[in-house]
């Protein structure tokens, strides 16, 4: 089971436990709607109840209007300090950390939670707030992927929650630690912790809420290879779900059944439950994780069962849904960036207002504001480094995921010929596009270079890259993906070189006599580079001081698997005693190296006409030898 899927599973379980924590708290200090909160705030007195209303209002608008939420927190902080109310100060620091979490500035959030933790530990009667601060710190370290710090604070949360008898924090901590053990493949420890959690929930009358926990235990038994225990626990989870139906939970249970049958060798049943999980996920509002995993599984199983068309349909649906999720995530990231900018602007405005209030208020508020500002500055510097690291990490994760997906598809759909041709064409098309992009970058660099030598070298390199690009273009534009049509390739390559060097006013005539030859790409690439060098050399040096020139190219089969390339021009030619491997120019040396790569022979004659002859064999013939 992939770590990403199970992380989503753990998050869903935590969501269920958070809903459970609302019932355990049994406290409803303020109304739920923003409008009713504002009316209550307008009628309240400047006491602790007003501070509680400000904090509730900040939480209600935090995800949609971060500036307004920060304004409420600013007022709550001021009034808490005026009343010298520790609980209000601590809750304000926690709420400010939550605002930083919304804009993904986790280091700053941790700094706020640490302040709340220090203040809560100073007051022995505020153990519940100490638990809340520890919980938020561990969550932030989890988002930062700092496992050592996360585990330390998660264990501290569990111990403090048991000491203070805070049930929701104890439930969430046990569930998270079990999930972490599962990710580390420590299945016995994960099972033990989840069973302990089920016992606690059963003892407090919340057994019907434990469906996802039972499903997690079944997944652990599956990972452990215990088929009977896994099946029994899955049946138990399904029975528990029926007591309190929820389509999202149902989709996870069905997918776990798929993993069970996949693990223990029942492909038909695995395919059936993958289909059911996908159907259930479609009925669950906002549930795309299971839908993605189910489509991926269906594509793989259809391919293994010899149904390439269904496999392709499932894979296309998977790609469409994945692109939709990626687009939603990109939009969400854009919104978070904008909210972060607005939040930082509001922080700066709040800081200026704090400076004004610091001059007007007493020494005690002075010291607290200075400490908070210093802490924010430190967290800001750390956040800048973290954001850079996070960007690189995300890119690496995306590239790795895409690479892993391509490998999986290649292994699963090797027997589907139509899909293979489609994928091969796409690969050659993308390689050609990338090579053209590299060529365009070299052209741009050459146009900006003032050094003629550098400019000439970049132009030569550009032509070499394009010669390879023509080969990949030839491959994806023709039906035979394994071989290159040399007639088409020579026509495109000579046309390109003439276009490049047509600006000097010369008229160069090229005669091509190319047999209808199809060559593999391992032979076509060196041959195309060699022809590029010969054409470039002729256009640059053979017709200096002339208005016209003649070039003749001939390619024919020399024997069963051998070929012969003859290249002639009517220029002054090369010295008769030239040794290509020791030539002064890079192009001539490259021709020698390419001939060696083809295991061919290179011969030059200056009489009666200047003619360079290369004989070589195909890749298959060279491997036979």
């Amino acid at each position: 089971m992939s770590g990403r899927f199970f992380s989503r599973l753990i998050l869903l379980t935590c969501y269920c436990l958070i809903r459970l924590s609302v019932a355990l708290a049994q406290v409803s200090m303020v109304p739920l709607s923003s409008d009713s909160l504002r009316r209550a705030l307008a009628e309240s007195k400047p006491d602790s109840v007003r501070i509680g209303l400000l904090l509730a209002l900040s939480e209600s608008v935090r995800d949609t209007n971060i500036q307004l939420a920060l304004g409420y927190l600013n007022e709550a902080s001021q009034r808490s300090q005026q009343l010298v109310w520790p609980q209000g100060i601590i809750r304000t620091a926690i709420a400010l950390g939550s605002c930083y979490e919304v804009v993904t500035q986790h280091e700053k959030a941790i700094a706020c939670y640490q302040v709340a933790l220090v203040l809560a530990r100073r007051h022995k009667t505020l153990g519940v707030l100490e638990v809340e601060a520890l919980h938020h710190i561990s969550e932030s370290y989890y988002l930062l992927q700092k496992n050592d710090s996360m585990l330390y604070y998660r264990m501290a949360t569990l111990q403090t929650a048991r000491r203070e008898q805070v049930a929701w924090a104890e439930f969430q901590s046990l569930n998270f630690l079990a999930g972490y053990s599962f990710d580390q493949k420590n299945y016995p420890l994960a099972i033990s912790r989840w069973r302990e959690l089920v016992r606690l929930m059963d003892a407090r009358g919340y057994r019907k809420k434990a469906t996802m926990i039972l499903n997690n235990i079944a997944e652990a038994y599956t990972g452990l290879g215990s088929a009977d225990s896994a099946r029994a626990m899955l049946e138990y989870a399904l029975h528990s779900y029926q007591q309190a139906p929820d389509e999202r939970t149902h989709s996870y249970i069905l997918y776990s059944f798929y993993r069970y049958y996949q693990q223990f060798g029942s492909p038909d049943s695995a395919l059936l439950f993958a289909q059911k999980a996908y159907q259930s996920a479609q009925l669950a509002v906002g549930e795309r994780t299971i839908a993605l995993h189910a489509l991926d599984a269906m594509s793989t199983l259809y391919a293994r069962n010899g149904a390439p068309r269904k496999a392709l349909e499932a894979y296309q649906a998977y790609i469409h849904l994945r692109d939709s999720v990626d687009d939603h995530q990109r939009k969400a990231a854009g919104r978070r960036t904008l909210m972060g900018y607005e939040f930082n602007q509001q922080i700066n405005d709040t800081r200026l207002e704090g400076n004004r209030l610091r001059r007007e208020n007493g020494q005690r508020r002075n010291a607290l504001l200075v400490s908070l500002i210093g802490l924010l500055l430190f967290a800001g510097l750390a956040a800048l480094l973290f954001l850079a690291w996070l960007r690189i990490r995300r890119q690496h994760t995306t590239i790795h995921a895409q690479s892993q997906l391509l490998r999986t598809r290649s292994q699963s759909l090797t027997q589907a010929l139509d899909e293979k041709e489609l994928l091969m064409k796409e690969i050659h098309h993308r390689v050609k596009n990338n090579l053209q992009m590299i060529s365009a970058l070299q052209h741009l660099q050459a146009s900006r270079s003032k050094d003629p030598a550098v400019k000439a070298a970049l132009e030569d390199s550009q032509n070499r890259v394009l010669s390879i690009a023509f080969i990949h273009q030839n491959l994806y534009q023709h039906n035979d993906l394994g071989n290159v049509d040399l007639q088409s390739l020579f026509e495109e390559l000579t046309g390109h070189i003439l276009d490049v060097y047509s600006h000097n006013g010369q008229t160069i005539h090229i005669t091509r006599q190319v047999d209808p030859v199809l060559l593999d790409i391992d032979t076509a690439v060196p041959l195309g580079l060699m022809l590029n060098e010969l054409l470039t050399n002729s256009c640059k040096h053979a017709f200096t001081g002339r208005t016209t020139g003649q070039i003749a190219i001939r390619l024919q089969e020399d024997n069963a698997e051998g070929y012969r390339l003859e290249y002639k021009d009517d220029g002054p030619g090369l010295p008769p005693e030239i040794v290509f491997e020791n030539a002064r120019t890079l192009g001539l040396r490259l021709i020698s190296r390419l001939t060696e790569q083809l295991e061919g022979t290179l011969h030059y004659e200056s009489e009666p006409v200047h003619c360079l002859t290369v004989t070589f064999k195909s890749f298959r013939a060279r491997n036979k030898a």
Side-chain angles (χ1 to χ4, degrees):
M1 183 174 188
S2 64
R4 177 178 296 180
F5 165 72
F6 196 76
S7 297
R8 293 289 182 90
L9 189 62
I10 295 301
L11 288 177
L12 176 61
T13 308
C14 289
Y15 168 76
C16 297
L17 291 175
I18 289 173
R19 295 183 60 185
L20 175 61
S21 69
V22 174
L24 290 174
Q26 297 180 352
V27 175
S28 179
M29 296 178 58
V30 294
L32 294 179
S33 68
S34 297
D35 293 337
S36 59
L37 285 171
R38 291 190 182 95
R39 288 194 298 269
L41 181 65
E43 298 171 358
S44 66
K45 297 180 180 180
D47 55 10
S48 59
V49 175
R50 183 176 181 85
I51 296 172
L53 290 171
L54 288 168
L55 292 172
L57 267 171
S58 173
E59 182 178 0
S60 68
V61 302
R62 183 172 59 211
D63 294 332
T64 56
N65 192 334
I66 198 71
Q67 290 179 309
L68 183 59
L70 190 59
Y72 288 135
L73 288 181
N74 187 34
E75 183 179 352
S77 176
Q78 295 176 16
R79 294 192 179 278
S80 296
Q81 294 176 55
Q82 290 173 356
L83 295 175
V84 194
W85 189 36
Q87 186 174 353
I89 295 173
I90 296 171
R91 289 195 176 278
T92 301
I94 293 175
L96 180 60
S98 298
C99 288
Y100 277 118
E101 294 286 5
V102 170
V103 295
T104 66
Q105 298 183 20
H106 305 300
E107 294 286 357
K108 291 184 178 180
I110 290 174
C112 294
Y113 298 145
Q114 292 283 9
V115 171
L117 179 61
V118 171
L119 294 176
R121 284 176 173 173
R122 289 179 182 175
H123 299 80
K124 302 298 184 182
T125 59
L126 300 180
V128 174
L129 294 181
E130 180 183 354
V131 171
E132 188 173 348
L134 287 168
H135 169 75
H136 282 295
I137 292 173
S138 64
E139 290 289 335
S140 297
Y141 276 122
Y142 171 74
L143 295 174
L144 289 174
Q145 298 183 359
K146 295 183 177 180
N147 292 335
D148 292 340
S149 300
M150 178 272 295
L151 286 175
Y152 172 80
Y153 282 101
R154 184 64 68 176
M155 292 300 298
T157 304
L158 179 60
Q159 295 171 0
T160 309
R162 286 173 171 171
R163 186 191 70 205
E164 299 294 334
Q165 297 183 351
V166 183
W168 66 266
E170 184 178 3
F171 289 176
Q172 288 193 39
S173 297
L174 270 175
N175 180 64
F176 191 90
L177 289 170
Y180 182 80
S181 299
F182 185 97
D183 289 339
Q184 301 299 313
K185 300 188 183 304
N186 190 347
Y187 301 121
L189 182 57
I191 293 171
S192 174
R193 284 173 170 167
W194 272 320
R195 285 190 175 277
E196 181 182 358
L197 177 56
V198 171
R199 285 195 297 271
L200 287 174
M201 297 178 71
D202 191 27
R204 295 176 184 176
Y206 294 98
R207 186 57 177 268
K208 293 182 179 180
K209 304 289 186 178
T211 303
M212 287 303 300
I213 308 299
L214 298 173
N215 187 67
N216 294 347
I217 297 174
E219 287 285 352
Y221 276 124
T222 300
L224 198 59
S226 180
D228 294 338
S229 299
R231 178 58 185 263
M233 195 56 64
L234 282 172
E235 296 290 350
Y236 196 10
L238 187 60
H239 174 75
S240 177
Y241 152 76
Q242 292 170 352
Q243 304 301 316
D246 173 66
E247 203 60 49
R248 191 179 188 188
T249 303
H250 190 212
S251 65
Y252 274 84
I253 295 174
L254 291 173
Y255 189 77
S256 295
F257 268 104
Y258 150 73
R259 290 198 49 77
Y260 168 82
Y261 285 115
Q262 181 74 2
Q263 173 77 13
F264 298 109
S266 182
D268 293 338
S269 298
L271 178 58
L272 175 63
F273 277 97
Q275 293 169 339
K276 290 182 177 180
Y278 175 65
Q279 295 169 358
S280 178
Q282 288 183 309
L283 297 176
V285 178
E287 177 50 56
R288 296 184 175 184
T289 302
I290 288 298
L292 280 172
H293 285 288
L295 285 172
D296 188 17
M298 289 163 60
S299 174
T300 301
L301 291 172
Y302 277 135
R304 290 177 180 173
N305 290 343
R309 185 173 300 277
K310 290 184 178 181
L312 180 58
E313 291 174 355
Y315 179 60
Q316 289 174 338
Y318 168 82
I319 293 298
H320 177 74
L321 182 58
R322 186 197 65 184
D323 291 343
S324 175
V325 172
D326 291 344
D327 182 64
H328 176 76
Q329 291 176 347
R330 284 193 296 270
K331 291 180 180 178
R335 289 195 296 269
R336 285 196 299 270
T337 301
L338 179 60
M339 289 176 64
Y341 173 77
E342 295 174 350
F343 182 67
N344 289 331
Q345 289 293 109
Q346 187 70 13
I347 284 290
N348 291 332
D349 295 342
T350 303
R351 189 177 299 157
L352 293 176
E353 180 67 15
N355 291 335
R356 184 182 67 81
L357 292 176
R358 188 172 58 249
R359 290 191 297 269
E360 297 175 355
N361 295 334
Q363 187 64 34
R364 181 172 51 194
R365 284 180 296 176
N366 233 356
L368 181 59
L369 285 174
V370 169
S371 299
L372 286 175
I373 291 173
L375 196 58
L376 289 174
L377 289 174
F378 173 79
L381 293 175
L384 291 176
L385 297 176
F386 166 73
L387 288 175
W389 175 85
L390 185 60
R391 187 178 295 108
I392 296 173
R393 179 68 178 177
R394 285 176 177 173
Q395 293 174 351
H396 173 75
T397 302
T398 301
I399 293 172
H400 177 73
Q402 292 174 348
S403 175
Q404 188 67 26
L405 180 61
L406 288 175
R407 279 198 300 269
T408 304
R409 296 283 74 74
S410 176
Q411 294 172 358
S412 302
L413 307 178
T414 53
Q415 301 302 320
L417 181 58
D418 292 340
E419 296 174 48
K420 177 180 177 182
E421 291 181 357
L422 179 62
L423 288 174
M424 289 298 294
K425 285 186 177 182
E426 179 65 17
I427 289 171
H428 287 301
H429 182 67
R430 292 191 180 186
V431 171
K432 186 267 295 184
N433 287 345
N434 290 337
L435 290 171
Q436 286 186 335
M437 184 178 296
I438 294 172
S439 175
L441 292 174
Q442 291 176 331
H443 175 73
L444 180 61
Q445 186 65 36
S447 64
R448 294 185 177 181
S449 176
K450 297 180 180 180
D451 189 337
V454 173
K455 185 172 183 179
L458 288 172
E459 290 175 348
D460 290 344
S461 178
Q462 179 189 359
N463 290 334
R464 295 177 184 126
V465 172
L466 282 176
S467 68
I468 302 176
F470 286 142
I471 293 173
H472 287 278
Q473 179 177 336
N474 185 289
L475 283 172
Y476 80 78
Q477 287 181 345
H478 294 81
N479 292 329
D480 191 349
L481 295 177
N483 295 300
V484 179
D485 183 358
L486 292 188
Q487 287 182 331
S488 175
L489 173 64
F490 278 30
E491 181 179 354
E492 293 174 350
L493 190 55
T494 54
H496 167 71
I497 296 298
L498 287 181
D499 289 341
V500 171
Y501 293 98
S502 62
H503 61 274
N504 56 10
Q506 293 176 331
T507 301
I508 301 174
H509 299 283
I510 298 181
T511 303
R512 294 184 300 271
Q513 294 182 358
V514 182
D515 289 351
V517 175
L518 296 177
L519 280 181
D520 57 274
I521 190 172
D522 293 306
T523 305
V525 170
L527 188 61
L529 287 172
M530 188 184 303
L531 182 60
N532 173 77
E533 296 301 324
L534 291 170
L535 290 169
T536 301
N537 184 69
S538 294
C539 291
K540 292 172 64 175
H541 305 294
F543 312 118
T544 305
R546 297 167 53 184
T547 59
T548 62
Q550 295 287 338
I551 296 176
I553 303 172
R554 182 177 182 183
L555 178 69
Q556 61 183 1
E557 294 190 29
D558 195 28
N559 49 49
E561 293 183 330
Y563 302 90
R564 179 185 182 89
L565 172 66
E566 293 181 357
Y567 182 88
K568 303 175 184 179
D569 64 33
D570 60 351
L574 300 172
E577 68 280 1
I578 186 164
V579 179
F580 282 86
E581 57 267 21
N582 298 327
R584 181 174 57 87
T585 62
L586 174 61
L588 295 179
R589 293 199 304 271
L590 184 57
I591 291 172
S592 175
R593 296 294 187 275
L594 292 171
T595 304
E596 293 178 4
Q597 183 177 340
L598 293 174
E599 299 180 10
T601 60
L602 179 64
H603 180 67
Y604 174 72
E605 294 179 352
S606 58
E607 294 294 339
V609 294
H610 306 296
C611 177
L612 187 141
T613 304
V614 180
T615 59
F616 60 93
K617 295 182 179 180
S618 66
F619 179 76
R620 183 174 60 181
R622 296 198 301 272
N623 282 348
K624 285 183 180 179

